[in-house]
């Protein structure tokens, strides 16, 4: 079956702009999580959505937001981009159990954002 | 390919040797741990997991060991192959799908 699909794969923005990234989970998966990966900070959790509701949130400023649609597809938005937002943004989907270890996360290939 | 870390610790092994990758975790209350492999240009790929009520779990060519006393996790890869070259991350999972990742180790396999 198809894996997690993220679009776009690469994009370049300038400071102050905003960006929207899209994630299509594996069919039947209801949970979508987003992570930011940078050389300096590594992989950091942004947020998780389940049944169109944010279930968990990491320690990122309010410029980072997300949403999930009824078909489980998810988008994340970053407003007022800063140079430090340059990163690989990874989406992961899972069936959706809320207990730790209830699911194996399957990651997409990521969206590489460069902020100039 | 895309770089996932410019200053990662690197483990270099000869093809056919065994590899051991170590990880220290921070939260003594963590009850579920996962190892991921990330190849250049790809997202992390699940390798193996272990719950806190276990000390050891084996998969195909991989073994994970958990030492809760010192909050240490290790991944052993038997008969390392060139295709094992990648960055390896440990992660602890405390709630839902919120993972806290370690910094990663780059494994290089010499032919």
């Amino acid at each position: 079956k198809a894996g997690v699909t993220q679009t776009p794969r690469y994009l370049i923005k300038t400071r102050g702009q905003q960006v929207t990234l899209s994630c299509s989970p594996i069919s039947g998966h209801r949970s979508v999580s987003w992570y930011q990966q940078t050389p300096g900070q590594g992989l950091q959790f942004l947020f998780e959505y389940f049944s169109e509701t944010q279930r968990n949130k990491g320690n990122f400023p309010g410029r980072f937001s997300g949403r999930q649609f009824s078909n489980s597809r998810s988008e994340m938005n970053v407003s007022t981009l800063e140079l430090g937002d340059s990163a690989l943004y990874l989406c992961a989907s899972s069936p959706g159990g809320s207990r730790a270890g209830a699911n194996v996360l399957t990651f997409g290939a990521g969206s590489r954002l460069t902020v100039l | 390919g895309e770089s996932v870390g410019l200053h990662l610790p690197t483990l270099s092994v000869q093809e056919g040797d065994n590899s051991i990758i170590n990880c220290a975790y921070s939260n003594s209350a963590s009850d579920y741990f996962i190892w991921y492999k990330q190849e250049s240009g790809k997202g992390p790929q699940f390798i193996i997991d272990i719950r806190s009520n276990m000390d050891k779990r084996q998969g195909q060519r991989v073994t994970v060991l958990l030492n809760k006393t010192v909050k240490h996790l290790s991944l052993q890869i038997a008969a390392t192959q060139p295709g094992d070259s990648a960055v390896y991350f440990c992660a602890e999972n405390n709630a839902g799908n919120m993972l806290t990742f370690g910094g990663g180790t780059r494994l290089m396999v010499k032919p």
Side-chain angles (χ1 to χ4, degrees), chain A residues 9-10 31 33 35 37 39 43 45 48 55-56 88 90 94 97-105 107-109 112, chain B residues 2-6 31-32 36 38 41-46 49 51 89 93-102:
Chain A
R9 286 294 314 275
Y10 303 91
S31 167
S33 303
Y35 289 79
Q37 185 172 30
L43 279 150
F45 173 79
E48 179 202 2
R55 185 158 69 176
N56 288 298
L88 181 67
L90 291 158
S94 72
S98 60
R99 186 173 68 92
N103 310 275
V104 171
L105 267 63
F107 283 84
R112 168 72 64 183
Chain B
E2 297 164 352
S3 170
V4 298
L6 300 178
D31 59 3
Y32 178 62
Y36 281 93
Q38 187 173 26
K42 298 182 179 180
Q45 177 187 4
F46 173 88
D49 57 4
R51 291 201 173 275
F89 295 94
N93 181 200
N94 295 314
N97 293 319
M98 188 166 59
L99 301 180
T100 301
F101 282 86

Side-chain angles (χ1 to χ4, degrees), chain A residues 37-43 88 112, chain B residues 2-12 21-23 35-42 44 84-90 101-108:
Chain A
Q37 185 172 30
T38 61
Q41 299 298 318
L43 279 150
L88 181 67
R112 168 72 64 183
Chain B
E2 297 164 352
S3 170
V4 298
L6 300 178
H7 304 291
L8 292 173
T10 298
L11 174 65
S12 184
I21 300 171
N22 296 303
C23 174
W35 280 98
Y36 281 93
K37 169 187 180 183
Q38 187 173 26
E39 297 173 284
S40 182
K42 298 182 179 180
D84 295 326
S85 294
V87 177
Y88 290 80
F89 295 94
C90 67
F101 282 86
T105 297
R106 188 181 306 278
L107 175 64
M108 297 178 62

Side-chain angles (χ1 to χ4, degrees), chain A residues 24-86:
Chain A
S24 293
I26 290 173
S27 178
H29 284 192
R30 297 170 63 193
S31 167
V32 174
S33 303
W34 290 88
Y35 289 79
Q36 181 196 64
Q37 185 172 30
T38 61
Q41 299 298 318
L43 279 150
Q44 294 186 289
F45 173 79
L46 281 156
F47 27 65
E48 179 202 2
Y49 287 87
F50 177 79
S51 293
E52 302 178 65
T53 301
Q54 189 179 83
R55 185 158 69 176
N56 288 298
K57 187 178 188 303
N59 189 27
F60 277 81
R63 299 186 297 108
F64 292 80
S65 63
R67 60 177 176 169
Q68 187 180 34
F69 302 94
S70 59
N71 62 356
S72 293
R73 190 177 70 84
S74 177
E75 290 180 347
M76 69 162 282
N77 184 277
V78 188
S79 62
T80 319
L81 284 166
E82 301 176 359
L83 296 179
D85 296 333
S86 294

Side-chain angles (χ1 to χ4, degrees), chain B residues 5-102:
Chain B
L6 300 178
H7 304 291
L8 292 173
T10 298
L11 174 65
S12 184
V13 301
Q14 203 70 38
E15 180 179 358
D17 287 351
N18 297 333
S19 302
I20 299 177
I21 300 171
N22 296 303
C23 174
Y25 64 91
S26 56
N27 189 344
S28 58
S30 295
D31 59 3
Y32 178 62
F33 304 88
I34 316 102
W35 280 98
Y36 281 93
K37 169 187 180 183
Q38 187 173 26
E39 297 173 284
S40 182
K42 298 182 179 180
Q45 177 187 4
F46 173 88
I47 301 173
I48 192 169
D49 57 4
I50 188 168
R51 291 201 173 275
S52 59
N53 60 354
M54 303 172 69
D55 297 323
K56 178 180 178 179
R57 190 170 188 215
Q58 289 183 291
Q60 187 176 15
R61 281 201 308 118
V62 294
T63 300
V64 55
L65 298 178
L66 175 61
N67 185 330
K68 295 180 286 294
T69 302
V70 294
K71 294 190 287 187
H72 183 268
L73 203 62
S74 69
L75 176 71
Q76 300 178 359
I77 305 173
T80 313
Q81 303 168 359
D84 295 326
S85 294
V87 177
Y88 290 80
F89 295 94
C90 67
E92 47 188 310
N93 181 200
N94 295 314
N97 293 319
M98 188 166 59
L99 301 180
T100 301
F101 282 86

